[in-house]
Amino acid sequence: MLEPSLLARAGEPDETRGANFSMTSPFSASLRRLLALASALFAVAAGAQVNVDAPEPLNELLARYLKSPSPEARGAALEAFGREARRSTTRLLATEGYFSPEIEVRTEPGEIFVSVAPGPRTVVSDVAIEIRGDISPKRRADLLSAWPLKQADPFRDAAWREAKQLVLRKLLAVDFPAATLLDSRVEIDPAVATATLHVVYDTGPRYVFNGLSVTGLSRYSTRLIEGYSKIRPGSRYEQKELLALQGALQRTPYFTSASVDIAPPETPPEQGPVRAPVRVHVQETPPHRVSFGTGFSTNTGAQGDVIYRGLIFLRHPLQLETGLRLEEVRQRLYSDV
């Protein structure tokens, strides 16, 4: 015969068995995996960081672009990450003109420690710019004087790229829409921290405007577009003239869109400038629009409006607006051309 205390315990649920059962159920196993994944992600977010010891602004540059190793990385994987971090640091420093730095990299799971002594910054020692083509001596001299990366300036990769593009943009803007950058290279001497720059441009043929070539018109005459254009056949090519015409057409009510550029010649002439037409493509706005409106005023009572707006009047591109307003106390009819 069982004792009363044992009987009472026999009728109660077994907390130990219940706990063991709940932790081995499929739901609990999934919950454990989810909690483990969340813990790992939290560890990566909380522990992954870059510790950089370098002069400003290099400190900020390296901290922004260097990546931290995963907290799970160990052994060979961690060593490989350290080598890649050293290579990345070397490349980043080179973009700022430091080609002989002393770099110390130490990695731990989730962290990277980079110590940098950048060494001397490379400066420009010489600039050799060649502009090939039919260009006047004055224009050539102006372009060379506009080159922004001069002798004794610190060499930076961003400044180098911008300097090359600046001269090319100036060539493209006037006379030479087919100009190209043929060659560019930098010779670095890390022993004395100097950079020698070499750049070669080709102007291509000289261009002059040769009238308009218009597409997209169905309701209007090309005279409408010619009225907005200040480009004259035989005048020198200037990119700003194309942009001015495109802006003027886009601001008119007659077109929903407009694009303007210059057509390349099929066969450039052997001598003299290229006479290239200006290509204009437009998309016309629907010429008729009717709108209705209603309202109420304490002075005039209920009112209604009918308004017609047209872009063609008497077969000409004239803007016509006519409307009728009906009120309880008065009526008004108007037209404007």
Side-chain angles (χ1 to χ4, degrees):
M1 182 177 180
L2 297 177
E3 297 179 1
S5 59
L6 294 177
L7 285 172
R9 286 197 295 272
E12 295 174 354
D14 190 328
E15 295 180 359
T16 303
R17 289 196 301 270
N20 289 339
F21 173 78
S22 64
M23 293 302 292
T24 56
S25 67
F27 172 77
S28 298
S30 300
L31 180 62
R32 284 203 313 274
R33 288 194 295 270
L34 182 60
L35 292 174
L37 177 60
S39 299
L41 292 175
F42 178 79
V44 171
Q49 57 181 331
V50 177
N51 302 281
V52 179
D53 180 15
E56 290 291 355
L58 300 178
N59 197 334
E60 181 182 353
L61 174 71
L62 297 176
R64 184 187 309 135
Y65 290 105
L66 290 179
K67 298 180 180 179
S68 295
S70 169
E72 290 78 21
R74 295 290 188 279
L78 199 57
E79 292 178 3
F81 186 90
R83 291 191 296 269
E84 178 57 33
R86 181 180 296 276
R87 288 191 291 268
S88 297
T89 301
T90 301
R91 289 193 294 266
L92 289 169
L93 292 174
T95 65
E96 293 298 312
Y98 297 98
F99 295 94
S100 56
E102 295 180 3
I103 303 172
E104 180 181 346
V105 178
R106 182 168 58 87
T107 56
E108 295 181 2
E111 288 187 286
I112 178 173
F113 300 86
V114 179
S115 179
V116 173
R121 190 173 203 174
T122 299
V123 297
V124 177
S125 63
D126 191 23
V127 181
I129 304 175
E130 180 183 357
I131 303 177
R132 301 173 183 173
D134 179 21
I135 184 170
S136 68
K138 183 181 184 306
R139 179 87 183 277
R140 188 190 305 272
D142 291 342
L143 290 171
L144 295 179
S145 64
W147 177 266
L149 195 56
K150 302 184 184 299
Q151 288 184 341
D153 285 349
F155 177 82
R156 295 180 62 250
D157 188 62
W160 165 237
R161 292 196 305 268
E162 173 59 25
K164 292 186 293 184
Q165 292 303 314
L166 175 66
V167 173
L168 181 60
R169 287 197 299 269
K170 287 181 174 294
L171 283 171
L172 293 171
V174 180
D175 291 331
F176 306 110
T180 57
L181 175 62
L182 288 183
D183 183 38
S184 66
R185 66 183 187 278
V186 183
E187 296 177 2
I188 302 294
D189 188 345
V192 292
T194 58
T196 302
L197 313 181
H198 302 268
V199 189
V200 180
Y201 298 94
D202 187 286
T203 66
R206 187 186 302 274
Y207 276 60
V208 297
F209 292 126
N210 191 31
L212 304 181
S213 173
V214 182
T215 58
L217 290 179
S218 61
R219 303 182 181 96
Y220 309 117
S221 166
T222 57
R223 291 195 300 272
L224 173 63
I225 293 178
E226 291 170 353
Y228 287 97
S229 175
K230 296 181 180 180
I231 298 174
R232 297 295 176 258
S235 61
R236 70 187 303 189
Y237 168 85
E238 292 190 73
Q239 190 179 55
K240 67 179 182 180
E241 296 293 344
L242 302 181
L243 296 176
L245 176 56
Q246 179 171 293
L249 294 177
Q250 290 174 341
R251 289 189 295 270
T252 72
Y254 302 107
F255 308 112
T256 58
S257 66
S259 63
V260 181
D261 63 1
I262 194 164
E266 296 182 359
T267 55
E270 296 181 359
Q271 293 183 347
V274 174
R275 300 182 66 86
V278 176
R279 294 186 300 193
V280 180
H281 179 74
V282 295
Q283 182 174 350
E284 296 176 335
T285 303
H288 307 289
R289 187 172 61 180
V290 179
S291 59
F292 303 90
T294 60
F296 180 84
S297 171
T298 56
N299 294 328
T300 60
Q303 62 186 38
D305 294 274
V306 180
I307 300 174
Y308 166 80
R309 295 182 177 90
L311 299 178
I312 300 177
F313 181 65
L314 299 178
R315 301 177 125 183
H316 292 282
L318 298 174
Q319 299 175 49
L320 168 68
E321 180 173 323
T322 182
L324 174 64
R325 168 167 289 189
L326 301 177
E327 301 172 347
E328 291 185 9
V329 297
R330 61 182 180 184
Q331 293 78 41
R332 184 167 72 98
L333 176 67
Y334 70 91
S335 285
D336 292 319
V337 177

